[in-house]
Amino acid sequence: MKIPNKNPMIRFWNLDEETIFLNHGSYGATPKIVLDEQNRWRKIVEKDPVKFYEDIAPKALLDARKAIADFVKCDYDDLALIENATSGVNTVLRSLDFSINDEILIPNHAYQACRNTVDYVAKKTGAKVITCDIPFPIDNEQIIIERIMNCVTERTKLALIDTVTSPTGIKMPFEELVNLLEEKGVMVLLDAAHGIGMIPLNLEKIGASFTTSNCHKWLCAPKGSAFLHVRKDLQKSIHPLTISHGMTIPLDGTSRFRHEFDWTGTRDISAWCVIPFVISEISKMVGMKWEEIMVHNNNLVIEARKYICKKLDIIPPCPDDMLSSIATIKLNFEDFTKLSIHEPDSIHLELLEEYNIQVPVWYWPNPEGRYIRISAQIYNHLDEYKYLASVLENVCKN
Ligand SMILES: Cc1ncc(COP(=O)(O)O)c(C=O)c1O
């Protein structure tokens, strides 16, 4: 099989030249210029750590919040810089007071780590977890809206809603869901792990109680950079996972929310300092505006999925307009072995070890089978997915 062409843009990343990297969705990938800029910040820290943390960092972090706020359209004072979406979800769920009379609503397509957090909090507080079953394959967004809204009762206190689901790659009708749920008095925790840099977001307009998004995925910022947006009326009830000086520092014209989230102890904050650079320079590096990058990636994944499905004679499990930059496809693999979500799938390993293709394959229970999830980022080339399709034709015969 002919090794596929690579997109010339790949030169901007450190990705292994031998690997066909089709999994931006799991951990992102950071361009070389961004890593260099992060190193520049680390040097500034070590030149004089006291000066850095006391004088330089507050301004750098403010600039980071301003850059994010401009991107996702919100007040920069409503943003907290955090390390990842998992901690964003934990921060909210572990701050709120749940009781035996409360219900927490979560779709069955939610990311397992977030599901675990919901279960943990529910066990501790006596709250009940209501799992909403969303079918997959799925024909349209209306089905999701109906299923979720049918699960709401007068006890529903919070709903965890994804922007884009991780195992199934569905773009949820999250704007409409937030609107309907918040209108009914249900707080929405929007899991936008796949959010900033992937799909347009206007947080003021969306109006969710809480939104968390990873900058290290689709914005291509360094690992450990994410944000949590908390609506002003709820900021008093949300505290960082780490309680520090901010709890008692005099307010001095700012909010407790600001103080608490702005300092949670000494740590490497270089990933956040780089965010304004990431937003302005990646766009210049690839010669596209961010809106164009998002459209480009969306178009590439649609084209890639179409090609793979046609080649493997698979019916696409959701319409194109429910895709973002990731797409999940159920493999026609008759003789599949039931696998746990905690174990690497043997097809995933075969694709990586025999063909140098880095793409996730996992077990999904309903309908039971093996699913592959492709990602499309600016450094990918359609030929890489064509190659994957040809390889899958062989692998799935076994
Ligand atoms: C929907 C969803 N939520 C949360 C996460 C967790 O992200 P992180 O590992 O950066 O905390 C992921 C990661 O892939 C995800 O896909």
Side-chain angles (χ1 to χ4, degrees), residues 244-281:
S244 183
H245 293 302
M247 195 86 190
T248 49
I249 289 176
L251 282 189
D252 201 17
T254 185
S255 64
R256 188 61 60 208
F257 174 78
R258 272 271 53 80
H259 274 321
E260 285 199 67
F261 279 94
D262 282 355
W263 184 261
T264 55
T266 311
R267 57 182 160 161
D268 183 356
I269 59 170
S270 56
W272 298 332
C273 295
V274 179
I275 288 173
F277 176 92
V278 166
I279 292 175
S280 67
E281 299 308 311

Side-chain angles (χ1 to χ4, degrees), residues 25-26 84-86 111 114 162 164 166 191 193-194 214 216-217:
S26 284
N84 48 54
T86 309
Y111 187 65
C114 301
D162 304 277
V164 176
S166 172
D191 179 354
H194 298 277
N214 279 327
H216 52 231
K217 281 197 199 286

